[in-house]
Amino acid sequence: MDGRGGSFVAVRRITQDHSHTAEIVAGSGAWIGKGFSCVCVQGSDSDPRLSFDLTPSQEECLQKLQRRIEVNYDNADPDHQEALKELWNASFPEEELSDLVSDQWKEMGWQGKDPATDFRGGGFISLENLLFFAKMFPKSYQDLLQKQEGNRAMWEYPFAVAGVNITFMLIQMLDLEAVKPRTMTGIVFLKLLEENDDAFDILYCITFKLMDQQWLAMNASYMDFNTVMKSTQHELEKQLLLLEDITRIEDMPYFSLLQ
């Protein structure tokens, strides 16, 4: 991390008669792009001497994922606009979104009224990750969005911003922008990706649940977010390195966290 200043939001939980509301509060810190905390460093298993030849199938899977990573969020693209509407509907099915630019988005943990600003840090794939999570594991998604599990802090991490951080962290940790992996975790992940095109999206969901688990275990508050993310990355790397013989992401022990 460098020392550049940026902005972030924290969410203060206010409990009244067993119901919860959220207050979004601005702060400062070191964040990727203009909105997200850069907590990602190359994994400790990185070794420039590692040599790994991709099979044609692995190369094709990696390139397909890299094409997704390269897509920037474009708020003028009708497909991107539709995906954003889908995300809202999946997150708050009983509340109608008044407009794509609206203060309602702050309920989800975006920094302002236009999520497009925050997606610059993670690209369109960060929206795809959130939408995949909401559709495929709706209970786990809602538990995280509504902060329904555990003893929560007064100042909570903002859900949506955390989600974009997780996308960015995984891309860096797995070295997905390289021609071929230069870390053991990247090599192990490619085997999982070869078996399941959705491996990155599933790993994202696992990581989000794991991050929240770490958050609760550490009794964290918003100032601890970077520490929690580093701990999550370390735990995930450790898990992947123990799974060299596993080829299905569904066989990861942490997969059981998802509902």
Side-chain angles (χ1 to χ4, degrees):
M1 285 177 54
D2 61 25
R4 289 174 297 177
S7 64
F8 68 85
V9 294
V11 180
R12 185 173 66 163
R13 290 171 57 77
I14 305 169
T15 304
Q16 294 177 331
D17 300 326
H18 305 290
S19 63
H20 301 287
T21 57
E23 177 184 348
I24 309 298
V25 181
S28 63
W31 295 75
I32 65 170
K34 293 185 178 178
F36 313 107
S37 178
C38 182
V39 298
C40 312
V41 294
Q42 195 157 34
S44 57
D45 62 319
S46 177
D47 188 338
R49 295 169 298 177
L50 274 178
S51 179
F52 179 69
D53 292 324
L54 305 183
T55 67
S57 173
Q58 288 170 338
E59 188 171 358
E60 182 181 349
C61 290
L62 177 59
Q63 289 174 353
K64 182 178 177 182
L65 180 55
Q66 287 173 334
R67 286 193 292 271
R68 289 179 62 195
I69 291 169
E70 289 169 0
V71 177
N72 295 320
Y73 180 82
D74 181 358
N75 57 6
D77 187 317
D79 290 336
H80 293 197
Q81 293 176 357
E82 190 57 37
L84 195 55
K85 291 176 188 175
E86 280 188 68
L87 180 63
W88 176 268
N89 292 333
S91 302
F92 305 104
E94 297 180 2
E95 182 180 348
E96 186 176 351
L97 181 65
S98 61
D99 193 79
L100 282 179
V101 177
S102 166
D103 281 326
Q104 288 172 280
W105 286 110
K106 295 178 184 179
E107 297 174 34
M108 193 177 170
W110 298 107
Q111 295 187 91
K113 59 176 65 176
D114 186 3
T117 304
D118 292 343
F119 280 128
R120 290 174 190 162
F124 184 58
I125 193 172
S126 58
L127 171 53
E128 291 181 314
N129 288 156
L130 281 167
L131 191 52
F132 180 91
F133 195 1
K135 289 181 173 181
M136 299 303 295
F137 305 103
K139 184 181 185 308
S140 293
Y141 180 86
Q142 286 295 332
D143 285 348
L144 294 179
L145 175 62
Q146 305 296 340
K147 304 292 196 301
Q148 291 177 342
E149 294 183 338
N151 225 352
R152 312 306 307 200
M154 176 64 75
W155 294 95
E156 277 286 320
Y157 65 84
F159 173 81
V161 171
V164 178
N165 269 273
I166 288 168
T167 297
F168 182 81
M169 182 264 279
L170 288 175
I171 291 169
Q172 299 302 306
M173 183 188 86
L174 300 172
D175 204 17
L176 293 177
E177 294 175 298
V179 175
K180 62 181 182 179
R182 294 169 294 186
T183 67
M184 281 305 299
T185 49
I187 291 169
V188 172
F189 172 73
L190 261 191
K191 295 176 182 176
L192 304 178
L193 185 64
E194 188 177 18
E195 289 297 315
N196 189 335
D197 283 344
D198 293 329
F200 183 77
D201 300 270
I202 295 172
L203 187 62
Y204 169 88
C205 301
I206 291 171
T207 306
F208 213 142
K209 280 292 289 184
L210 177 60
M211 185 277 291
D212 191 69
Q213 193 179 72
Q214 297 278 313
W215 178 273
L216 292 172
M218 296 168 68
N219 295 313
S221 188
Y222 75 97
M223 290 297 289
D224 304 312
F225 183 75
N226 287 356
T227 302
V228 172
M229 285 288 284
K230 288 175 183 176
S231 175
T232 302
Q233 178 175 332
H234 177 71
E235 194 64 31
L236 197 61
E237 287 174 331
K238 194 165 63 174
Q239 175 95 170
L240 286 168
L241 292 175
L242 290 173
L243 302 177
E244 290 187 55
D245 296 328
I246 289 181
T247 57
R248 295 177 67 251
I249 193 163
E250 295 86 353
D251 293 332
M252 284 184 68
Y254 283 132
F255 183 77
S256 63
L257 293 173
L258 299 174
Q259 298 178 56

